């Protein structure tokens, strides 16, 4: 299912099932059935229709929202191999850990807030009437070493824009992972109808600013003294790219 599709269900119970699974990220069908109190026959019928319509899928015995993120991509450097793929609910702790490790540098405030949000909600991917949230990860030996995240409000006046964060653990930088993640995220955004992607970084994060500029991003605005890092003020650099 692509984010550009309208969320229509045709039945209230079908909508309730979808919304419950979407909030939980990945959930056992029986627990959904018990939580919603739908009769067993009707529950099985609605789940079958949600699967048929590409709203839900079943993997490892759990229901989850179907989001088409494309295939896994394989890459190799001189010293290690890595993959870029759509994130799964099971990646949540790895993504939170990676974001928090990068955020310890105190130069990626937005990403830190993303980690807090997904950790609090305990759901990685979201697609509902209020917001859409998608992640791709870079993995080495199945460990998450980088991410790209896109978040978009489901508001008509902002439906053409999405906010992005991207990061790679320090020991894996300089090997192209960030560029591959950014490219994958922007490709997905374009396919799903977004026209503009933006993100904000503190002015002290010159490495991120240089990286984004090398990928075609431009500075749209600067908010003076927007952050206070370790007792010192820093500007917010607001950057964007048109797709």
């Amino acid at each position: 299912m692509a984010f550009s599709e309208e969320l229509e269900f045709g039945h209230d119970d079908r909508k309730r099932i979808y919304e419950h699974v979407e909030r939980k990220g990945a959930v056992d069908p029986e627990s959904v059935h018990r939580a919603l109190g739908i009769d067993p026959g009707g529950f099985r019928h609605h789940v079958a229709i949600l699967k048929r319509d590409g709203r839900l899928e079943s993997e490892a015995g759990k229901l989850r929202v179907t989001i088409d993120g494309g295939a896994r991509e394989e890459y190799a450097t001189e010293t290690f191999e890595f993959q870029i793929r759509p994130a799964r609910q099971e990646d949540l702790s790895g993504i939170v850990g990676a974001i928090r490790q990068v955020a310890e540098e105190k130069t990626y405030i937005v990403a830190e807030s993303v980690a807090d949000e997904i950790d609090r909600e305990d759901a990685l991917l979201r697609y509902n009437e209020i917001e859409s949230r998608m992640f791709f990860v870079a993995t080495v030996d199945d460990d998450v070493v980088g991410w790209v995240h896109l978040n978009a409000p489901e508001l008509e006046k902002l439906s053409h824009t999405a906010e992005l964060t991207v990061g790679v653990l320090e020991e894996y930088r300089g090997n192209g992972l960030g560029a591959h993640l950014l490219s994958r995220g922007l490709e997905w955004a374009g396919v799903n109808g977004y026209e503009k992607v933006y993100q904000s970084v503190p002015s002290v994060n010159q490495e991120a600013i240089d990286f984004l500029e090398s990928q075609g991003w431009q500075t749209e605005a600067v908010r003076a003294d927007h952050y206070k890092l370790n007792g010192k003020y820093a500007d917010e650099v607001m950057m964007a790219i048109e797709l």
Side-chain angles (χ1 to χ4, degrees):
M1 180 174 64
F3 278 19
S4 53
E5 295 180 15
E6 294 290 334
L7 282 173
E8 297 179 357
F9 299 97
H11 196 285
D12 285 344
D13 284 345
R14 227 167 283 158
K15 181 179 180 181
R16 290 173 63 214
I17 293 169
Y18 175 90
E19 290 177 343
H20 185 88
V21 174
E22 194 267 350
R23 285 195 305 272
K24 298 292 184 179
V27 60
D28 176 71
E30 183 57 32
S31 68
V32 182
H33 174 223
R34 289 196 305 269
L36 299 181
I38 301 171
D39 71 272
F43 178 77
R44 290 193 295 270
H45 170 72
H46 292 311
V47 169
I49 291 177
L50 287 166
K51 288 181 178 179
R52 181 203 67 188
D53 292 345
R55 301 297 186 192
L56 296 181
E57 62 186 13
S58 182
E59 184 180 341
K62 293 188 176 183
L63 292 173
R64 62 190 68 210
V65 172
T66 301
I67 297 176
D68 184 9
R72 175 193 301 259
E73 299 170 350
E74 307 278 347
Y75 300 95
T77 70
E78 292 182 357
T79 55
F80 62 89
E81 297 179 350
F82 67 94
Q83 299 79 40
I84 305 292
R85 61 167 174 79
R88 304 184 296 262
Q89 176 66 19
E90 292 77 10
D91 295 315
L92 190 148
S93 61
I95 291 172
V96 169
I99 294 176
R100 294 205 189 286
Q101 189 169 333
V102 171
E104 284 180 358
E105 302 168 16
K106 304 298 183 184
T107 56
Y108 211 164
I109 314 305
V110 175
E112 188 173 5
S113 68
V114 171
D116 291 341
E117 182 176 4
I118 63 175
D119 202 16
R120 180 180 65 253
E121 293 181 359
D122 201 28
L124 185 62
L125 309 180
R126 303 300 305 269
Y127 181 34
N128 55 53
E129 295 176 348
I130 298 175
E131 67 170 334
S132 300
R133 184 167 69 211
M134 183 65 181
F135 277 88
F136 294 90
V137 291
T139 62
V140 175
D141 296 329
D142 294 327
D143 292 329
V144 174
V145 301
W147 83 92
V148 62
H149 144 266
L150 296 108
N151 191 77
E154 293 298 319
L155 298 173
E156 183 177 356
K157 293 179 180 179
L158 294 173
S159 62
H160 65 295
T161 68
E163 184 177 24
L164 177 147
T165 69
V166 60
V168 175
L169 298 184
E170 186 175 9
E171 58 266 37
Y172 292 97
R173 294 174 192 168
N175 291 286
L177 280 73
H180 284 299
L181 282 165
L182 186 61
S183 176
R184 185 68 182 265
L186 294 179
E187 178 185 13
W188 182 88
V191 168
N192 281 273
Y194 298 107
E195 300 171 18
K196 179 180 178 180
V197 177
Y198 65 93
Q199 68 170 297
S200 298
V201 296
S203 56
V204 294
N205 193 347
Q206 192 60 49
E207 181 181 3
I209 294 170
D210 291 343
F211 169 68
L212 291 172
E213 288 179 343
S214 74
Q215 302 297 313
W217 290 59
Q218 295 183 340
T219 298
E220 289 195 326
V222 175
R223 290 204 286 186
D225 297 339
H226 185 66
Y227 299 113
K228 194 172 186 178
L229 307 174
N230 298 321
K232 296 182 179 180
Y233 291 103
D235 298 342
E236 178 186 39
V237 181
M238 305 168 74
M239 305 186 71
I241 189 169
E242 302 279 349
L243 302 180

